[in-house]
Amino acid sequence: MAATIDGTTGLTAPSGAIFNGIASGTAVASTSGTSIDFTSIPSWVKRITVMFNGVSTSGTSSLQIQIGAGSVITTGYVSGTAYNSVQTTATSGYLVAAGFTAVEVISGTMVLTLLGSNNWTVTGTNTVSGGVTRLCAGVGSSGGTLDRIRITTVNGTDTFDAGSVNILYE
């Protein structure tokens, strides 16, 4: 699945200008496929919020976000998530949630912020059905000016089967 962000809707930020707007992508149903891509993210973006609403997959592989410039980066992240004193780490993407079953659904947000030199930090909070809260954090490089985000699982083969995902960018 892919969603394209229309960078021509009048939301521009000339060099040095103050930009006080938040733009929204188009919500994508997370009901099929192994990944959800948001592409054509404008070059002036400094913060991206990824929102999950009742997202579920067919398996138990951890949910993650990957970033990129021209292509998605699949290595080099420093990421972790924690819940109920259980901690999980990953280098293949920013972990959103780990340690859930195929029948659970995830809702919450992850906020990616440009640190500089194409390095992006992430913090997030989400809840899984049953009320378990997970905290997430990490850092990674887009390898250039970020223009895409992918939501997928660590194993890359579990399929989405419920919910929706969207982004805000500023």
Side-chain angles (χ1 to χ4, degrees):
M1 281 180 251
T4 301
I5 297 168
D6 182 2
T8 63
T9 58
L11 299 171
T12 59
S15 179
I18 297 173
F19 181 71
N20 292 321
I22 298 175
S24 178
T26 301
V28 176
S30 51
T31 55
S32 66
T34 58
S35 65
I36 298 168
D37 290 345
F38 290 90
T39 59
S40 300
I41 296 172
S43 61
W44 50 261
V45 169
K46 304 290 187 253
R47 182 170 32 210
I48 303 166
T49 303
V50 182
M51 302 167 290
F52 301 89
N53 178 28
V55 174
S56 175
T57 67
S58 62
T60 59
S61 182
S62 300
L63 196 60
Q64 68 180 355
I65 296 171
Q66 297 172 323
I67 60 176
S71 62
V72 174
I73 304 295
T74 60
T75 61
Y77 298 85
V78 177
S79 175
T81 183
Y83 71 99
N84 291 346
S85 73
V86 175
Q87 298 180 359
T88 305
T89 61
T91 59
S92 60
Y94 301 116
L95 284 178
V96 176
F100 58 95
T101 67
V103 297
E104 292 179 308
V105 297
I106 300 164
S107 297
T109 60
M110 299 282 287
V111 179
L112 289 81
T113 306
L114 179 62
L115 179 65
S117 300
N118 302 316
N119 292 313
W120 291 79
T121 63
V122 66
T123 58
T125 306
N126 62 69
T127 186
V128 176
S129 51
V132 176
T133 300
R134 287 169 170 78
L135 305 174
C136 319
V139 66
S141 175
S142 57
T145 302
L146 184 142
D147 68 355
R148 67 196 60 233
I149 292 177
R150 171 171 288 166
I151 296 93
T152 189
T153 57
V154 170
N155 71 12
T157 59
D158 290 353
T159 57
F160 289 99
D161 58 17
S164 62
V165 179
N166 199 359
I167 65 172
L168 299 173
Y169 56 96
E170 54 191 303

